[in-house]
Amino acid sequence: GKYLFAFGAALAWGFGANFAKMGMREGPPGHQIQPIAGSMVAFAVAIPFLWLIARQAGVATPPKRLDLPTVLWLCGAGASSALASVFYFLALSQGQVAVVLAISNVYPFFAILFSFLLLRRKEKLTRNVLLGAALAVGGGALLVLPPLF
Protein backbone atom coordinates (compact mmCIF):
# COMPACT_ATOMS: atom_id res chain seq x y z
CA GLY A 1 0.00 0.00 0.00
CA LYS A 2 0.65 3.59 0.58
CA TYR A 3 3.53 3.01 3.03
CA LEU A 4 5.53 0.64 0.82
CA PHE A 5 7.95 3.45 -0.08
CA ALA A 6 8.54 4.12 3.64
CA PHE A 7 9.62 0.50 4.10
CA GLY A 8 11.82 0.83 1.01
CA ALA A 9 13.43 3.89 2.58
CA ALA A 10 14.01 1.96 5.80
CA LEU A 11 15.66 -0.88 3.88
CA ALA A 12 17.87 1.53 1.90
CA TRP A 13 18.86 3.47 5.04
CA GLY A 14 19.72 0.18 6.75
CA PHE A 15 22.06 -0.80 3.93
CA GLY A 16 23.39 2.75 3.59
CA ALA A 17 24.45 2.99 7.23
CA ASN A 18 26.53 -0.15 6.94
CA PHE A 19 28.00 0.92 3.59
CA ALA A 20 28.96 4.30 5.12
CA LYS A 21 30.60 2.68 8.15
CA MET A 22 32.54 0.26 5.96
CA GLY A 23 33.54 3.05 3.56
CA MET A 24 35.00 5.11 6.38
CA ARG A 25 36.94 2.10 7.75
CA GLU A 26 38.55 1.00 4.47
CA GLY A 27 41.88 2.27 3.23
CA PRO A 28 45.44 2.18 4.53
CA PRO A 29 45.96 3.21 8.17
CA GLY A 30 45.78 6.97 8.53
CA HIS A 31 44.22 7.37 5.07
CA GLN A 32 40.61 6.47 5.77
CA ILE A 33 38.07 8.95 4.48
CA GLN A 34 36.88 11.53 7.00
CA PRO A 35 33.15 11.56 7.85
CA ILE A 36 32.34 14.90 6.21
CA ALA A 37 34.15 13.86 3.03
CA GLY A 38 32.28 10.55 3.17
CA SER A 39 29.00 12.43 3.34
CA MET A 40 30.03 14.53 0.33
CA VAL A 41 30.91 11.42 -1.69
CA ALA A 42 27.57 9.83 -0.76
CA PHE A 43 25.67 12.95 -1.91
CA ALA A 44 27.72 13.11 -5.13
CA VAL A 45 26.78 9.51 -5.89
CA ALA A 46 23.15 10.11 -4.90
CA ILE A 47 22.59 12.91 -7.43
CA PRO A 48 22.91 10.75 -10.59
CA PHE A 49 20.80 8.03 -8.94
CA LEU A 50 18.08 10.57 -8.15
CA TRP A 51 18.18 11.86 -11.72
CA LEU A 52 17.90 8.32 -13.15
CA ILE A 53 14.97 7.51 -10.86
CA ALA A 54 13.25 10.79 -11.75
CA ARG A 55 13.84 10.16 -15.44
CA GLN A 56 12.43 6.65 -15.19
CA ALA A 57 9.36 8.05 -13.40
CA GLY A 58 8.95 10.68 -16.12
CA VAL A 59 9.59 13.65 -13.84
CA ALA A 60 13.24 14.47 -14.64
CA THR A 61 12.32 17.83 -16.16
CA PRO A 62 11.82 20.43 -13.45
CA PRO A 63 8.72 22.62 -13.52
CA LYS A 64 9.05 25.62 -15.84
CA ARG A 65 8.31 28.01 -13.00
CA LEU A 66 8.71 27.83 -9.23
CA ASP A 67 7.62 30.55 -6.87
CA LEU A 68 10.05 31.95 -4.30
CA PRO A 69 8.42 30.34 -1.21
CA THR A 70 8.62 26.90 -2.87
CA VAL A 71 12.28 27.42 -3.74
CA LEU A 72 13.08 28.59 -0.21
CA TRP A 73 11.30 25.60 1.40
CA LEU A 74 13.13 23.19 -0.92
CA CYS A 75 16.46 24.90 -0.19
CA GLY A 76 15.71 24.45 3.51
CA ALA A 77 15.00 20.77 2.90
CA GLY A 78 18.29 20.40 1.02
CA ALA A 79 20.28 22.20 3.71
CA SER A 80 18.62 20.08 6.41
CA SER A 81 19.42 16.90 4.50
CA ALA A 82 23.05 17.92 4.07
CA LEU A 83 23.42 18.81 7.74
CA ALA A 84 21.70 15.57 8.79
CA SER A 85 24.05 13.61 6.55
CA VAL A 86 27.13 15.26 8.04
CA PHE A 87 25.96 14.56 11.60
CA TYR A 88 25.02 11.01 10.59
CA PHE A 89 28.44 10.26 9.11
CA LEU A 90 30.17 11.83 12.11
CA ALA A 91 28.08 9.66 14.43
CA LEU A 92 28.77 6.52 12.38
CA SER A 93 32.50 7.22 12.49
CA GLN A 94 32.40 7.16 16.30
CA GLY A 95 29.64 4.75 17.24
CA GLN A 96 28.04 1.42 16.51
CA VAL A 97 25.75 1.31 13.47
CA ALA A 98 22.78 -0.11 15.41
CA VAL A 99 22.99 2.52 18.14
CA VAL A 100 23.54 5.43 15.71
CA LEU A 101 20.57 4.30 13.61
CA ALA A 102 18.32 3.94 16.63
CA ILE A 103 19.26 7.34 18.01
CA SER A 104 19.02 9.11 14.66
CA ASN A 105 15.61 7.55 14.16
CA VAL A 106 14.08 9.55 16.97
CA TYR A 107 13.65 12.21 14.31
CA PRO A 108 9.86 11.58 14.28
CA PHE A 109 9.74 13.54 17.53
CA PHE A 110 11.29 16.55 15.80
CA ALA A 111 9.25 16.02 12.64
CA ILE A 112 6.05 16.02 14.68
CA LEU A 113 7.11 19.13 16.59
CA PHE A 114 7.93 21.02 13.39
CA SER A 115 4.83 19.63 11.69
CA PHE A 116 2.75 21.06 14.51
CA LEU A 117 4.50 24.42 14.19
CA LEU A 118 4.60 24.65 10.38
CA LEU A 119 1.84 22.42 8.99
CA ARG A 120 -0.86 22.38 11.64
CA ARG A 121 -3.50 23.50 9.15
CA LYS A 122 -2.59 20.77 6.68
CA GLU A 123 -1.70 17.78 8.86
CA LYS A 124 -3.51 16.45 11.89
CA LEU A 125 -1.69 14.86 14.81
CA THR A 126 -3.49 11.70 15.90
CA ARG A 127 -3.01 9.68 19.05
CA ASN A 128 -1.34 6.93 17.02
CA VAL A 129 1.19 9.38 15.57
CA LEU A 130 2.01 10.75 19.02
CA LEU A 131 2.26 7.25 20.52
CA GLY A 132 4.49 6.07 17.67
CA ALA A 133 6.80 9.05 18.16
CA ALA A 134 6.93 8.44 21.90
CA LEU A 135 7.87 4.79 21.32
CA ALA A 136 10.59 5.81 18.84
CA VAL A 137 12.06 8.35 21.27
CA GLY A 138 11.79 5.86 24.15
CA GLY A 139 13.58 3.19 22.12
CA GLY A 140 16.37 5.61 21.29
CA ALA A 141 16.69 6.59 24.94
CA LEU A 142 17.03 2.93 25.98
CA LEU A 143 20.09 2.61 23.76
CA VAL A 144 22.00 5.50 25.32
CA LEU A 145 21.04 4.93 28.95
CA PRO A 146 23.04 2.56 31.17
CA PRO A 147 21.82 -1.06 30.89
CA LEU A 148 18.65 -1.68 32.87
CA PHE A 149 19.18 -5.43 33.24
Side-chain angles (χ1 to χ4, degrees), residues 65-114:
R65 188 165 179 227
L66 290 174
D67 62 345
L68 184 60
T70 299
V71 170
L72 293 175
W73 286 118
L74 293 176
C75 286
S80 295
S81 293
L83 191 58
S85 180
V86 167
F87 288 148
Y88 184 67
F89 272 72
L90 287 166
L92 284 172
S93 74
Q94 299 173 18
Q96 296 178 26
V97 170
V99 176
V100 168
L101 277 174
I103 293 169
S104 68
N105 280 307
V106 301
Y107 74 86
F109 169 77
F110 297 106
I112 289 169
L113 173 65
F114 295 132

Side-chain angles (χ1 to χ4, degrees), residues 48-68:
F49 273 82
L50 289 170
W51 183 82
L52 288 171
I53 291 166
R55 185 168 181 217
Q56 185 67 28
V59 294
T61 305
K64 296 196 184 314
R65 188 165 179 227
L66 290 174
D67 62 345
L68 184 60

